[in-house]
Amino acid sequence: MAPPEEYEGAYVFFVTGAPEAARLAVASRVAALPGVPGGVFAVVTDEGAEEFGVGRRVELKARG
């Protein structure tokens, strides 16, 4: 996995190359790792998005 990028005060990881359900499952597992703070979310988008960070926001449950 590539290192995260920072965007508007958040760390951003890109998960690609799988169906949406699989990508969200990966994001949920990462959000549940020890040390991940609350407020974790995923943005579901596609390569055709006109702007970075635009798409459907999905809240993820973190261990906190």
Side-chain angles (χ1 to χ4, degrees):
M1 179 187 321
E5 293 185 28
E6 284 192 56
Y7 177 74
E8 294 186 357
Y11 289 104
V12 178
F13 294 87
F14 295 93
V15 182
T16 63
E20 180 179 319
R23 295 190 313 265
L24 287 174
V26 168
S28 293
R29 287 194 298 273
V30 171
L33 291 172
V36 175
V40 180
F41 63 92
V43 176
V44 178
T45 189
D46 62 48
E47 293 176 356
E50 293 183 20
E51 229 179 290
F52 183 77
V54 174
R56 182 171 54 93
R57 183 179 172 131
V58 179
E59 301 297 325
L60 302 172
K61 187 171 186 161
R63 229 178 237 197

